[in-house]
Structures are given as structure tokens and as C-alpha cells.
Amino acid sequence: MNAIPAVQLPEVSLESLIFNLALGAILSLGIGWHYSLRAKKKLLRPELRFILPVICLTTLLVISVVKSSLALSLGLVGALSIVRFRTPIKEPEELAYIFLAIALGLALGADQREVAAVSVPLILGFISAIGFFTKENSSPTGNLLITVEVPRNDNENENLEDILKTVANICPTIEVRKIHQDNRIFTIVAIVNVNEPELLTKFSESFNSRYPNGRFTFIDDSSFPNE
């Protein structure tokens, strides 16, 4: 009976690993800082900037260990095949930063320090240039999910028209998602795009004067997963 050959673990230079981790931390923090600047101008989740360095350093560590061992590489593929990621990516730009952090970890894990040190600033500068020339540095805009509940009257069509006119004070374009009514309450759920915070105050004053017994709720739609 043939004996199973022992797997020879690759030797990882501790000095090289520490240097790569330090360089990766500096560059990935730069990626996180750049992302935080973009998050202020677009609907991006600001907490992702803390995760980008972790993604980079974790990728770096994995590649450093398995890069010289075919057995460990195959084992890594098998281990990752059982991992399922359910966190949705709302904006494609978030995915771009995640891939950039992974690419940085891959480059440093393969000891391509010069490539990483040159490529990351160039890519971040390219992203900034795209934002500048496409005029994305304007005031932030975004979707708000509004839920309106008002007491029902005998004429339900009048209820619907009045509520939609009141919501139109925020944004002329309304994307109605749900209309519900029962014996007492008339409910409308819609998505509106708000460019100016002052419009919310205007809507609140108009709504309270028109429906003193009604209520409304605004929710930031940027935190919702894509359907």
C-alpha cells in the first residue's frame, strides 16, 4: 500500500510578510480614505471604508501562504467553495473599490510591491478624474422611500390625488410602489428623489396643514438591497 506523501508547507519569509503587510495597510487605508471622499458625494455606504483594508490584508495573507504550494491552493479553492456571500452591493462603485482592495492584496502577496505602489495611486487618480469630468462632484442626490398614512374619506380617488399632489412638492416624479386602504387608513408607499433638504421641510408643513391626523415616514433607500 502506497504511503500518502507529506505536504511540504511553503516557507514564508517573516520579514517580507511584515513589509508587505505594512505597505498593504498604508495603501489600503489610502483606498479607504479615497472611498470616504466619494461616499460624501454619492450614495455609498461610508462604513465600507473600514472593511477595505481588512479585505486587502486578508487577501495578502492568503496569497502569501498558498503562492508556492499547489496543494494549499487546491485546498483554498475547496474551502472557499462553501462560502456564500449574501451582502448585496447597492452601487457598482462599491464593487470597484472592493476589487481594487483584493487586487492590491494579490499584488503584495505575490511580492509585486512596485506594481502595487504605482498602480493604486494611478487607479484612484483615474477614478477622481472620471468623477471630475462627468460632473459627479455636484451636490448629493438620492432616493427616499416615503410612506404616507392618512385617514380615509368617502371619496378614495380624492384621497389618492391629494396625497400625490402633496408628495409632488418634493419631487415632480414619483415612483409609486404600493397603495393600500382599509376601513380607516389610506396608505401610499413611493420613492422620490430629493435634491434639496429644504424640500422635506416644505413637505412636512404642507402635509401637516392638509392632514393633521395623518403621518408620514422617510427612509433612505440607499440602504436597501437590489431586488
Side-chain angles (χ1 to χ4, degrees):
M1 183 176 180
N2 295 330
I4 300 176
V7 177
Q8 182 68 31
L9 293 178
E11 294 184 1
V12 180
S13 172
L14 184 59
E15 180 180 353
S16 177
L17 178 61
I18 293 176
F19 185 83
N20 288 337
L21 287 173
L23 181 59
I26 295 174
L27 293 176
S28 60
L29 287 174
I31 295 175
W33 171 78
H34 191 274
Y35 174 85
S36 65
L37 295 180
R38 298 286 294 171
K40 296 177 181 178
K41 302 168 184 176
K42 299 188 66 176
L43 286 178
L44 303 177
R45 291 173 291 187
E47 62 272 12
L48 184 61
R49 71 180 185 273
F50 302 111
I51 306 300
L52 294 174
V54 178
I55 294 176
C56 171
L57 298 180
T58 303
T59 305
L60 190 160
L61 178 61
V62 171
I63 298 302
S64 298
V65 173
V66 306
K67 64 183 178 181
S68 58
S69 173
L70 178 60
L72 288 178
S73 300
L74 295 176
L76 176 65
V77 173
L80 293 181
S81 65
I82 65 175
V83 179
R84 300 184 66 183
F85 298 94
R86 295 184 177 274
T87 302
I89 301 298
K90 181 66 177 179
E91 292 292 335
E93 191 166 343
E94 296 179 359
L95 191 60
Y97 279 95
I98 292 175
F99 273 115
L100 180 58
I102 294 175
L104 175 60
L106 290 172
L108 293 177
D111 292 327
Q112 300 295 322
R113 304 185 184 99
E114 295 81 3
V115 173
V118 172
S119 299
V120 169
L122 288 178
I123 294 174
L124 295 180
F126 181 72
I127 295 175
S128 298
I130 292 177
F132 177 79
F133 287 109
T134 56
K135 298 181 180 181
E136 290 183 355
N137 293 325
S138 58
S139 59
T141 62
N143 289 335
L144 290 178
L145 182 69
I146 179 173
T147 302
V148 177
E149 297 180 356
V150 298
R152 182 184 174 188
N153 60 27
D154 295 334
N155 191 339
E156 62 183 49
N157 291 329
E158 182 180 348
N159 261 128
L160 177 61
E161 293 177 0
D162 289 347
I163 295 174
L164 293 179
K165 288 180 181 179
T166 305
V167 178
N169 291 330
I170 302 178
C171 179
T173 304
I174 305 171
E175 184 180 346
V176 178
R177 290 294 184 90
K178 177 182 177 181
I179 298 177
H180 173 75
Q181 65 177 5
D182 55 27
N183 295 331
R184 298 181 297 105
I185 300 296
F186 196 91
T187 304
I188 292 179
V189 179
I191 290 181
V192 295
N193 188 276
V194 179
N195 298 324
E196 301 177 3
E198 293 78 9
L199 294 176
L200 299 179
T201 303
K202 179 181 179 182
F203 170 80
S204 178
E205 295 174 352
S206 176
F207 183 86
N208 291 332
S209 62
R210 181 67 179 84
Y211 306 104
N213 296 323
R215 60 182 180 179
F216 64 90
T217 304
F218 284 106
I219 301 178
D220 182 9
D221 184 52
S222 63
S223 61
F224 293 166
N226 288 327
E227 299 179 352

